[in-house]
Amino acid sequence: SRKALAARQTAATVVQKWWRMTLARQIVRRIAEAKATILVQLVYRRRFRRLAKASKILYNRTSEMFIAFRPFAQQKKVKVAAIQIQRCCRGYLSRARGGRQRAATIIQAFVRRVRARWEVQARLQAVHRLQAACGSFVLSRRLARRKQCVLL
C-alpha cells in the first residue's frame, strides 16, 4: 500500500506540475501580448508626437511669414483695386469717345446686309433656273406624248 500511495503521490505531482506549467505559459503569453500592445501604442504615440511637433513648427513658420507678408499683401490689394478702377475708367472713356467705332460698326453692318442680299438673289436665280429647266423638260415630254396621241 506504500507503493500505491507513492505512485498516487507521484501521479498527483505530475498533474500539478503540468497544470502549473500550463498556467505559467498562459501568464507568459499574456505578458508578451501586453508588451507587444504597449510597444505598438508607444510607436503610434511617438509618430503622433513627431507629427504634432512638425505641425506646430509649420504653423509657427506660417504665422511668421503671414505677419511678415501682411503689409505687402495689403499694398498688393490696393494696387489691384487701383488697376481695376483705371480699367473701368478707361473703358468708360473709350465708350464715350466711341463715335468713330459706332460709325464703323454701322458701315460694316450695311456691307454685310448688301452682301447677304446679293447671295440670296444669286441663290434665288439658281433655283429659278433649275425650276425652269425642269419645267421645260416636263412640258416637252407632255407635248411629245400629245403629238404621239394625235399621230396615232
Side-chain angles (χ1 to χ4, degrees), residues 101-145:
Q101 188 175 3
R102 285 193 200 114
T105 306
I106 292 170
I107 293 170
Q108 288 172 354
F110 175 75
V111 170
R112 283 194 204 107
R113 190 174 28 214
V114 170
R115 281 188 178 174
R117 284 181 185 168
W118 287 346
E119 287 179 11
V120 168
Q121 287 177 355
R123 287 182 183 175
L124 281 174
Q125 285 178 357
V127 167
H128 289 308
R129 285 185 198 139
L130 284 172
Q131 287 176 347
C134 289
S136 64
F137 177 75
V138 170
L139 282 176
S140 64
R141 285 182 80 185
R142 282 184 186 168
L143 286 175
R145 282 186 193 157

Side-chain angles (χ1 to χ4, degrees), residues 39-67:
L39 184 65
V40 168
Q41 289 175 351
L42 287 174
V43 168
Y44 283 135
R45 189 175 296 164
R46 185 169 181 192
R47 285 182 187 168
F48 176 76
R49 284 183 182 163
R50 278 187 190 170
L51 182 64
K53 187 177 180 181
S55 297
K56 186 176 179 182
I57 291 170
L58 179 65
Y59 175 76
N60 289 337
R61 286 183 183 169
T62 307
S63 297
E64 291 170 5
M65 291 298 292
F66 177 75
I67 290 169

Side-chain angles (χ1 to χ4, degrees), residues 13-89:
T13 306
V14 168
V15 169
Q16 287 173 358
K17 283 182 183 177
W18 176 83
W19 184 247
R20 286 188 201 123
M21 182 183 64
T22 304
L23 290 176
R25 283 184 181 168
Q26 286 179 356
I27 291 170
V28 168
R29 184 176 44 88
R30 286 181 187 157
I31 290 171
E33 287 175 358
K35 283 182 179 179
T37 304
I38 290 170
L39 184 65
V40 168
Q41 289 175 351
L42 287 174
V43 168
Y44 283 135
R45 189 175 296 164
R46 185 169 181 192
R47 285 182 187 168
F48 176 76
R49 284 183 182 163
R50 278 187 190 170
L51 182 64
K53 187 177 180 181
S55 297
K56 186 176 179 182
I57 291 170
L58 179 65
Y59 175 76
N60 289 337
R61 286 183 183 169
T62 307
S63 297
E64 291 170 5
M65 291 298 292
F66 177 75
I67 290 169
F69 182 69
R70 181 185 258 165
F72 181 73
Q74 287 175 345
Q75 186 180 14
K76 193 173 181 181
K77 283 182 183 177
V78 169
K79 186 176 180 182
V80 169
I83 290 172
Q84 179 75 22
I85 292 170
Q86 287 175 352
R87 187 183 342 154
C88 293
C89 185

